[in-house]
Amino acid sequence: QVQLVESGGGSVQAGGSLRLTCAAPGYTTSTDRVGWFRQVPGKEREAVASIYMNGRSTDYADSVKGRFTISQDIAKLTVYLQMNSLQAEDTGMYYCAARRIGIGGAWNKPGDYHYWGQGTQVTVSS
């Protein structure tokens, strides 16, 4: 069982920045893709960004392109989400998720990820 742990959430004013961290044990040996998702009460969980273990394949939701950057430190088995120019609409619980190695699937489908963290809250005030 892979246990993911997120950190770095908090409260920030619009226009500010936060960096989320996902500790992902088993990355590149048990899992090959890590994604960030967010959810607000009453809405479905939505994909924010994802990275493949080669580091060259990244994907972003249209709403965050140009503002968010996903990256990884393989040596530390850690994936980051740098969030700049935050907007009130970015508020939500952010989850890190990982996909089992070799399974494949869509980067933005929660059902295609097998392991999830507990989430970290991001609140952006306008």
Side-chain angles (χ1 to χ4, degrees):
Q1 184 73 6
V2 175
Q3 295 199 340
L4 307 176
V5 179
E6 306 95 336
S7 61
S11 297
V12 65
Q13 290 195 327
S17 299
L18 285 173
R19 188 176 81 156
L20 304 185
T21 297
C22 173
Y27 190 35
T28 76
T29 55
S30 299
T31 60
D32 62 7
R33 179 176 284 279
V34 172
W36 285 97
F37 292 77
R38 66 187 179 193
Q39 190 170 23
V40 296
K43 292 191 175 182
E44 292 187 355
R45 194 166 294 189
E46 65 169 345
V48 175
S50 181
I51 188 167
Y52 187 66
M53 65 179 179
N54 64 10
R56 295 190 295 272
S57 175
T58 56
D59 299 276
Y60 296 93
D62 288 343
S63 60
V64 307
K65 282 180 181 176
R67 300 188 298 120
F68 291 11
T69 303
I70 190 169
S71 62
Q72 62 187 21
D73 184 333
I74 291 295
K76 295 182 179 179
L77 301 180
T78 299
V79 174
Y80 305 98
L81 184 68
Q82 178 66 43
M83 306 187 296
N84 298 329
S85 302
L86 282 162
Q87 304 167 357
E89 304 83 72
D90 296 316
T91 293
M93 185 69 78
Y94 281 68
Y95 298 91
C96 171
R99 189 180 71 187
R100 283 198 204 106
I101 196 166
I103 299 296
W107 78 268
N108 57 351
K109 286 180 61 177
D112 285 351
Y113 289 78
H114 305 95
Y115 307 104
W116 291 84
Q118 294 300 307
T120 185
Q121 177 68 34
V122 171
T123 303
V124 184
S125 57
S126 56

